[in-house]
Amino acid sequence: MSEKIYDVIIIGGGPAGLSAAIYARRSELETLVVEKGVYGGLLFQTAGIENYPGGIKGESGADFSMRLVAQAESFGFEKVMGEVSDVSLEGSVKTVTISGKTYSGKTVIIATGNLPVLLNIPGEAEYTGKGVSYCATCDGPLFRGRDVYVIGGGNAAVEESLHLAHFARKVTIMHRRDRLRANKYIQEKALNTQNISFLFDTTLEEIKGSEVLGSIVVKNVKSGETYEITAPEADGIMGVFVFAGMAPQTALFEGKLHMENGYILTDEEMHTSVPGVFAAGDVRKKSLRQAVTAVSDGAVAAVEAEKYLE
């Protein structure tokens, strides 16, 4: 066990966690940030950032993430890479265990985010950020005037298709069943949107291309027929938006915090059900999950952690 007791331990180095680190260090709190993968989180994979206030036009999610990391690091927080295997959140000193080593903190900010449910098909990983996306709000404008395919048939898939229809030349909703699962109201909206069409009884089997996504291989589940759909030559790229669901990264906190459908419940000040434990960003139950709301959550969580310590 580490002998040092931090003022705040932040689990997650995405926009929410890094924002919390900035605000915590500006308040001169001893801060540790834990990240298991890439700083920036899902934002790191985003092709471009167009809706962040004050963002740089044409900047990629990776570049934005690196600027955010550099800004946070300039305040001097400590960091450790690794996956958290256990947490103890009760009492005045909380503990977080990473790779067999236990770190202690007076407060904890959970910013573990959520991850899209993957299709796990050939080409999906290779073309993520190069035509494959999991966020229409983030990447929809990048496909202005192009053809996009939305994978899924639930509320999220249809709602995001309606958003994409503002930018894309044509939106095709691809669903493995013979009808949508979305509620009737948004189904009707999609049916009455001129540039939205439907491809039922169909699954996406493979994603192909050179430097960017250029074609997809699909399969009719009833006939077994497979065929390839290619992006128009003049476009050079097509879009695939996957909405097979999102999975909040909260398994570690089951039974330790109040949750709903896997998302951590907080008040507007990011307080969880345990004193001294806060949640920020996509991991908490909220209506909008975007970088701009994540950094706001992180700032609030850090300020509230400081108040708790006082």
Side-chain angles (χ1 to χ4, degrees), residues 34-204:
V34 182
E35 172 55 51
K36 69 176 182 179
V38 178
Y39 280 91
L42 282 180
L43 189 67
F44 192 89
Q45 301 176 12
T46 303
I49 307 294
E50 289 195 349
N51 58 348
Y52 192 91
I56 299 172
K57 186 176 182 180
E59 184 175 44
S60 70
D63 288 340
F64 180 91
S65 297
M66 290 301 95
R67 285 201 298 115
L68 185 55
V69 170
Q71 182 183 8
E73 286 180 335
S74 71
F75 289 97
F77 68 86
E78 293 183 43
K79 59 184 176 181
V80 61
M81 296 296 295
E83 187 164 1
V84 178
S85 58
D86 190 32
V87 294
S88 176
L89 302 178
E90 299 292 340
S92 58
V93 176
K94 294 81 167 67
T95 60
V96 175
T97 302
I98 305 128
S99 301
K101 186 174 182 179
T102 299
Y103 299 83
S104 301
K106 299 172 185 176
T107 66
V108 170
I109 297 174
I110 301 167
T112 47
N114 62 12
L115 292 174
V117 176
L118 304 181
L119 300 176
N120 291 316
I121 61 172
E124 181 178 15
E126 291 88 336
Y127 292 100
T128 294
K130 301 176 182 178
V132 176
S133 176
Y134 304 87
C135 177
T137 309
C138 306
D139 295 334
L142 302 176
F143 294 89
R144 187 175 278 105
R146 293 185 167 93
D147 295 344
V148 301
Y149 291 80
V150 173
I151 314 304
N155 286 343
V158 180
E159 287 172 351
E160 298 294 328
S161 296
L162 289 166
H163 179 74
L164 287 167
H166 293 295
F167 309 102
R169 175 175 53 229
K170 181 182 178 183
V171 178
T172 302
I173 299 176
M174 186 187 303
H175 189 39
R176 66 184 305 116
R177 297 182 175 86
D178 60 0
R179 60 176 64 89
L180 299 173
R181 294 180 291 107
N183 67 57
K184 295 297 182 183
Y185 175 73
I186 61 170
Q187 281 195 47
E188 286 298 321
K189 288 186 69 176
L191 287 166
N192 291 314
T193 300
Q194 188 175 5
N195 62 335
I196 293 181
S197 61
F198 303 87
L199 194 56
F200 292 117
D201 299 318
T202 303
T203 57
L204 181 59

Side-chain angles (χ1 to χ4, degrees), residues 261-279:
N261 297 323
Y263 290 97
I264 298 173
L265 296 176
T266 72
D267 59 17
E268 289 301 307
E269 281 71 46
M270 311 303 142
H271 294 251
T272 70
S273 55
V274 175
V277 179
F278 308 86

